[in-house]
Amino acid sequence: MSAQASPISLFGTNGEHSLRILQNRPGQAAVGTLSVIVLALTALTVPAPDAQAAATPSGTLDSTTKNVTWQSPVYAKGTVDSPTKCGAPDDDPDNAVCARFDLTVNPPAGQWDDNPEGGVPVSIQWETPTDDFDLYIYDSAGKQVASSAGTADPESTVIPKASGTYHVVVVPYDVHNNSFSGKAYLPEATDAGDLTGFSGSDGRYEIEAGALKARAEFFTDSTLRLQASPDGVLADPEDSHMIRQRPTAQRHTKSFDAGTYYGIRSGNVVMRVYKSPLRFGLYKADNRTAIWQEADPLRWTGGGMRQSLERRATEQFFGGGEQNGSFSHRDQVRHVGNNTNWNEGGYNNSQPFYISTAGYGVFRNTMTPGTYDFGSPVRTGLQERRLDAYYFTGDTKTVIGKYTSLVGKPFMPPVYGLEPGSADCYLHNANRGERHTLDALKVSDGYVQNQMPLGWMLVNDGYGCGYEKLVETGAGLNKNHAQLGLWTQNGLPDQAEEAKAGVRVRKLDVAWVGGGYGFALDACDRAKAGIEDNSDARGFVWLPVSWAGAQRCGVLWSGDQSLSWDYIRWQIPTYAGATLSGIAYNTGDVGSIYRHDAKMYTRDLQWKAFLPAIMTMDGWASDLTTKKPHDQQPWLDGEPYTSINRKYLQLKERLLPYMYTLSKDATRTGVGAVRPLSLEYPDDPAALGPNAKYEFLAGPDFLVAPVYSDTDVRDGIYLPKGTWTDYWTGRTYQGPTTVNGYKAPLDTLPLFVKGGSIVPMWPKGTLSWQSRDRNRLDYDIYPQGTTEYTLYEDDGVTRKFAEGASATQQVRVRAPLHGDSGDTTIKVGASVGSYEGKPSARSYRFTVHGKDTPTQVVMGGDRLRRVASSDALASATSGWYTDPATGITEIRTSPVSTDRGFTLALRRR
């Protein structure tokens, strides 16, 4: 390692507010200090004496100068909260408001061709690690290219493939007589050499290549863990609690020497350990079909390691957690790490995990950021000198299941968590004037008066807005069937008392969880436990920055976004893609937090009604046209917007039995409700095409194609294989096909239902899970061949479901295929199981879509009475009616014991 040069002042004689630059060089001895000073001064443009105080300190990285360090002034207290408030450099010549440093990078040729760190690492280390400095980096054109703005110490980021001059800005956000030292360096790479040691048995093998130590461990589900380190240390990340349950060890393994490699046979896989140079590959049991194969040896630098894998001709890649604007990553570079960029390209809820259609997935057991380049070859690098990877085998759904078994399955939300939420600041609100916490009740009254469902409310804001009269507020919300929620800026000191006062929802904000990684994960676990340890409720937590495992405890929310048609567009693949990392609940504010437009708000609400969790941020927005404050409750824009918003919120409420069942499924499979088409149609190339990117499936049955521009015509709606019925018109389409010119006025969300679907629903007009008619259940049925559906039910709010307090009901529909004759039968099974509040009997209403009118409908051995209209059916105890215009048959039964099943037959002869 090089010796450190002596510091030189760049700010004249003002020692308190000076920044110092120190440059390290390979092989530079201490006696070379003078040459370092000369080169450092040469690299700077020395200002005239009267302007010297305004010069921004700087340094250069190139083929001879590999390291740059610098020291900040001491800040007595925090200055500003954003780099936009730092002012111009000339206005802050002593860096008293914000610390600046100009970094010029002249990389040697080929520097970034295959570098584990993918760019220049920049970090700031605080002298006292209790405060908060935020780091931002801009290119010469003023575009932000990197940042680290959480509460981590050190703050660290990477300038991707850096070349040119960059402006480093550090904001002393919350400090107390504190300073920092900055560091940037050009990473130099070393490759693994030849194999020098191989031993092991019973599912665990030790491997060496000179100083590099590696270990392979095998598990019974054909999962492999591979660790490697040039420092010889093989251990879990420090303070890691991502992994909830390690898979069962596979003891029955066998190794063999194949000449050019050692093979390890374990279950359905064979791992190859190549000898010269050391490389790894994972094969199927035949030892001929590669699952993945390293293209090059492991490569590492002083602060990073990458793995290089061969890429197949048609191989696709998914995952990475929340990647704003993307779900399919082939030929793309994706970043994982701490990030608070809420825009397209941001990755604030990213996860170090990806899936390949070659039949595997990888979880990197790390607490450091990384870069995943899905080119050819695939190169995945992280900012640590170690590899610690779990490789899961199987198709995409199987891999998601194995990954979430490791880090935690998605949590089971309370049913009110799937209803709309509302957030505002009611006490000391700088945006809306003086109000009080009890004023939240007036807003909840508005939901009732406008017949719009509301499941929960956040009544405070940790950034200067507290709360009062919490018990009374919670009781008032409960009268309107809404739950009390709070958000927090910097901790949970009063969690027990707040939960006892009725708090059932928590939102964690950036000032507390912005550090991401294990810090955010720990906060999420604690917030969920705080509710559950002090009540019988299920914890329901939201957070905007997280890491692998957060799906087990929280709803991940994509941050304080702006409002535009473009924002609506890129959010569509964002939330669908997050599902491919086992994130069952990923969402964004309806509309946005800071800006409001009636039309865009309504269009955004339409499609977000098909996300499991949604929330409005009400008290911060201004109207785009008038620039005046505009709250964002869904009735405030007046007609036609109020009626349209009501329509979709009520539809969301009706579909809760369907979404709730999908939530329960996710706790078992790891697969959430919102899905890209490729998840259900993996063999359809068009499911990865440009049209499919901006639509999604809500469960396997609904295809949602949001309108994301100012138009009333939607083009490019891709419908995959099967029969698809327009939810609004009843028109059917045979896929695969692309629909252009679809008429979508403001009140119409393009929405299609797959043939064979069986969809449970609550009755029309339902506004709350609490006030619903528990003695009635509806099924919306699209008969096609033989299909089945299993409904899941429990009490909706307590954790007794985990002890088995729940019930399931299976429905099987058999219908003739196209051109065939015969009856359509609906077999409803008994509701199996028990939970508190389960109805002993209930009536059913079936809506059966089709073109052929039955001649009679038989329940058991009894014919049901045919009535003259849908209105007549609504007032009848039982009966059926077919609409001659649509062919849709509606059937209503008398109450039936939930302990027994029954069969309906729609006879057409």
Side-chain angles (χ1 to χ4, degrees):
M1 297 296 292
S2 63
Q4 193 175 72
S6 300
I8 55 174
S9 174
L10 298 176
F11 269 96
T13 60
N14 188 338
E16 181 179 358
H17 293 294
S18 69
L19 279 133
R20 294 174 295 155
I21 179 170
L22 302 90
Q23 298 195 0
N24 299 340
R25 299 186 171 192
Q28 179 72 51
V31 295
T33 298
L34 180 59
S35 64
V36 173
I37 294 173
V38 172
L39 286 171
L41 290 173
T42 303
L44 303 176
T45 301
V46 180
D50 60 348
Q52 189 166 351
T56 299
S58 62
T60 298
L61 294 173
D62 54 26
S63 58
T64 59
T65 306
K66 302 293 186 178
N67 297 271
V68 172
T69 61
W70 70 96
Q71 181 67 40
S72 83
V74 173
Y75 292 93
K77 59 182 180 179
T79 57
V80 293
D81 59 4
S82 168
T84 62
K85 299 177 182 178
C86 290
D90 289 348
D91 299 329
D92 187 21
D94 295 330
N95 286 269
V97 178
C98 297
R100 293 178 175 83
F101 184 78
D102 287 349
L103 178 67
T104 299
V105 183
N106 295 319
Q111 172 75 32
W112 307 126
D113 289 349
D114 183 11
N115 192 285
E117 296 179 74
V120 169
V122 181
S123 63
I124 54 172
Q125 176 80 52
W126 313 336
E127 299 299 326
T128 305
T130 55
D131 292 346
D132 187 3
F133 290 90
D134 292 340
L135 170 66
Y136 301 87
I137 302 175
Y138 303 86
D139 64 15
S140 58
K143 178 182 177 182
Q144 182 177 310
V145 295
S147 68
S148 182
T151 54
D153 179 27
E155 295 282 6
S156 60
T157 188
V158 171
I159 307 174
K161 297 183 178 181
S163 180
T165 297
Y166 299 89
H167 306 293
V168 181
V169 178
V170 179
V171 178
Y173 177 68
D174 183 13
V175 300
H176 306 81
N177 293 312
N178 206 350
S179 63
F180 68 84
S181 56
K183 178 181 178 180
Y185 65 90
L186 274 177
E188 298 181 273
T190 301
D191 289 341
D194 293 344
L195 183 73
T196 57
F198 177 85
S199 63
S201 62
D202 299 330
R204 178 168 170 153
Y205 295 82
E206 306 294 334
I207 301 152
E208 297 181 10
L212 180 75
K213 310 295 183 185
R215 178 182 298 146
E217 295 178 271
F218 297 85
F219 305 98
T220 55
D221 63 351
S222 296
T223 293
L224 162 70
R225 184 187 187 186
L226 180 62
Q227 296 172 273
S229 169
D231 303 317
V233 179
L234 304 176
D236 286 329
E238 186 177 356
D239 297 326
S240 170
H241 46 277
M242 293 178 289
I243 294 175
R244 297 297 292 267
Q245 182 175 351
R246 297 188 187 277
T248 304
Q250 171 62 275
R251 303 297 184 190
H252 305 293
T253 61
K254 181 180 180 181
S255 64
F256 57 92
D257 190 340
T260 59
Y261 65 87
Y262 286 103
I264 306 170
R265 189 176 297 278
S266 173
N268 297 320
V269 298
V270 174
M271 182 182 179
R272 293 184 181 183
V273 182
Y274 293 92
K275 300 178 181 180
S276 183
L278 173 64
R279 291 178 298 123
F280 301 96
L282 191 66
Y283 284 70
K284 293 183 178 180
D286 60 11
N287 196 24
R288 293 189 298 271
T289 307
I291 299 172
W292 58 261
Q293 170 68 58
E294 286 190 338
D296 300 294
L298 292 173
R299 171 172 285 190
W300 61 88
T301 62
M305 177 177 277
R306 73 99 177 94
Q307 184 181 47
S308 175
L309 300 181
E310 295 176 358
R311 192 183 77 175
R312 298 185 185 182
T314 60
E315 191 174 0
Q316 301 290 336
F317 303 90
F318 314 109
E322 179 193 313
Q323 294 286 331
N324 287 348
S326 177
F327 79 90
S328 179
H329 309 319
R330 181 182 169 93
D331 292 322
Q332 304 296 316
V333 176
R334 298 292 174 227
H335 299 279
V336 296
N338 176 55
N339 181 263
T340 53
N341 176 6
W342 316 129
N343 302 312
E344 187 170 15
Y347 45 94
N348 46 297
N349 285 303
S350 58
Q351 298 194 358
F353 166 77
Y354 75 88
I355 298 174
S356 162
T357 56
Y360 73 93
V362 187
F363 164 59
R364 300 292 281 268
N365 185 26
T366 182
M367 291 288 188
T368 61
T371 300
Y372 295 179
D373 186 340
F374 294 106
S376 182
V378 174
R379 290 169 173 157
T380 57
L382 292 166
Q383 294 178 41
E384 59 182 4
R385 284 166 54 94
R386 59 187 289 273
L387 171 76
D388 187 353
Y390 286 81
Y391 300 88
F392 315 100
T393 57
D395 61 21
T396 299
K397 287 186 177 181
T398 299
V399 168
I400 293 171
K402 291 181 179 181
Y403 168 56
T404 52
S405 290
L406 188 71
V407 301
K409 296 291 186 188
F411 73 101
M412 185 64 187
V415 64
Y416 51 77
L418 302 183
E419 295 178 319
S422 168
D424 205 342
C425 164
Y426 289 96
L427 185 65
H428 311 308
N429 187 334
N431 299 307
R432 297 294 189 262
E434 182 62 23
R435 295 188 296 183
H436 295 277
T437 306
L438 286 174
D439 289 331
L441 303 184
K442 300 174 185 177
V443 175
S444 72
D445 289 342
Y447 278 89
V448 174
Q449 293 159 6
N450 286 279
Q451 296 183 299
M452 295 180 180
L454 175 69
W456 50 278
M457 289 188 74
L458 303 172
V459 300
N460 74 318
D461 175 1
Y463 299 88
C465 177
Y467 62 77
E468 59 189 2
K469 298 184 179 180
L470 203 59
V471 173
E472 297 94 322
T473 303
L477 291 176
N478 291 164
K479 290 180 181 179
N480 285 338
H481 309 304
Q483 299 298 314
L484 174 64
L486 294 177
W487 61 12
T488 179
Q489 177 180 350
N490 52 18
L492 296 166
D494 303 311
Q495 204 170 193
E497 290 304 313
E498 290 167 346
K500 292 175 183 177
V503 172
R504 297 294 179 265
V505 183
R506 283 283 184 189
K507 176 172 167 286
L508 316 181
D509 221 326
V510 173
W512 185 31
V513 299
Y517 309 114
F519 190 77
L521 187 57
D522 178 66
C524 184
D525 284 335
R526 284 171 51 205
K528 183 172 184 289
I531 295 172
E532 296 183 351
D533 290 347
N534 296 284
S535 72
D536 64 353
R538 304 171 200 172
F540 189 60
V541 179
W542 284 52
L543 67 165
V545 180
S546 61
W547 198 237
Q551 50 265 60
R552 71 193 186 216
C553 58
V555 175
L556 308 184
W557 139 72
S558 55
D560 290 344
Q561 292 160 353
S562 185
L563 178 67
S564 68
W565 292 111
D566 200 45
Y567 269 84
I568 296 174
R569 173 192 60 78
W570 65 253
Q571 288 181 35
I572 301 164
T574 299
Y575 307 137
T579 301
L580 300 178
S581 293
I583 298 171
Y585 309 98
N586 193 200
T587 188
D589 305 331
V590 175
S592 78
I593 179 173
Y594 295 119
R595 307 203 304 172
H596 183 84
D597 174 83
K599 183 182 292 186
M600 280 190 274
Y601 179 96
T602 294
R603 283 297 195 191
D604 200 40
L605 183 147
Q606 286 175 1
W607 73 273
K608 285 180 177 171
F610 284 84
L611 303 181
I614 62 170
M615 170 179 67
T616 60
M617 296 284 282
D618 296 323
W620 291 264
S622 296
D623 186 89
L624 284 177
T625 302
T626 67
K627 311 302 181 184
K628 294 180 179 180
H630 193 301
D631 287 354
Q632 301 208 76
Q633 287 83 27
W635 61 86
L636 292 179
D637 289 314
E639 297 298 344
Y641 308 105
T642 298
S643 294
I644 299 170
N645 295 338
R646 179 187 299 115
K647 168 183 172 179
Y648 285 94
L649 291 176
Q650 288 193 6
L651 178 57
K652 177 178 178 60
E653 191 75 16
R654 288 199 70 200
L655 285 170
L656 277 185
Y658 180 75
M659 281 292 182
Y660 195 70
T661 298
L662 289 170
S663 291
K664 180 59 179 176
D665 291 344
T667 67
R668 177 178 52 85
T669 66
V671 179
V674 180
R675 307 170 185 183
L677 272 62
S678 63
L679 184 62
E680 299 295 335
Y681 300 90
D683 298 324
D684 184 350
L688 293 169
N691 289 335
K693 181 176 182 178
Y694 297 111
E695 55 193 50
F696 65 94
L697 297 168
D701 300 292
F702 290 94
L703 189 150
V704 185
V707 176
Y708 53 87
S709 62
D710 189 5
T711 181
D712 59 3
V713 175
R714 178 64 152 86
D715 290 324
I717 301 174
Y718 179 69
L719 304 176
K721 182 180 178 180
T723 301
W724 296 90
T725 299
D726 186 319
Y727 189 79
W728 310 112
T729 68
R731 179 179 175 181
T732 59
Y733 300 83
Q734 292 301 315
T737 188
T738 299
V739 179
N740 291 310
Y742 183 93
K743 294 181 179 180
L746 186 60
D747 68 342
T748 302
L749 168 72
L751 179 65
F752 303 85
V753 189
K754 184 178 69 174
S757 295
I758 303 168
V759 181
M761 303 180 77
W762 286 338
K764 289 183 179 179
T766 299
L767 298 178
S768 169
W769 68 277
Q770 283 184 302
S771 61
R772 74 185 189 276
D773 184 352
R774 297 171 185 265
N775 298 311
R776 175 180 156 186
L777 183 65
D778 295 359
Y779 277 99
D780 202 22
I781 296 174
Y782 296 78
Q784 187 173 31
T786 299
T787 53
E788 295 181 348
Y789 177 83
T790 301
L791 172 72
Y792 172 83
E793 298 174 289
D794 60 31
D795 65 27
V797 292
T798 76
R799 302 187 301 280
K800 294 179 181 178
F801 75 94
E803 302 169 359
S806 61
T808 59
Q809 182 178 48
Q810 187 179 74
V811 179
R812 185 179 189 186
V813 177
R814 178 177 295 172
L817 296 174
H818 298 296
D820 296 338
S821 59
D823 298 345
T824 294
T825 59
I826 303 171
K827 185 176 182 179
V828 180
S831 177
V832 179
S834 179
Y835 59 89
E836 186 174 350
K838 177 183 176 180
S840 59
R842 61 186 171 201
S843 62
Y844 295 84
R845 186 157 184 165
F846 299 90
T847 302
V848 184
H849 297 258
K851 298 299 183 183
D852 298 327
T853 303
T855 58
Q856 57 183 250
V857 175
V858 177
M859 182 175 176
D862 300 325
R863 294 184 182 182
L864 298 183
R865 182 170 64 95
R866 184 173 185 174
V867 299
S869 67
S870 181
D871 290 340
L873 184 64
S875 59
T877 303
S878 64
W880 65 280
Y881 166 75
T882 298
D883 187 334
T886 64
I888 295 174
T889 297
E890 298 179 63
I891 305 167
R892 183 167 186 171
T893 75
S894 300
V896 180
S897 170
T898 52
D899 290 335
R900 68 180 183 89
F902 62 93
T903 300
L904 286 169
L906 284 72
R907 295 179 177 171
R908 293 184 170 85
R909 62 180 184 275

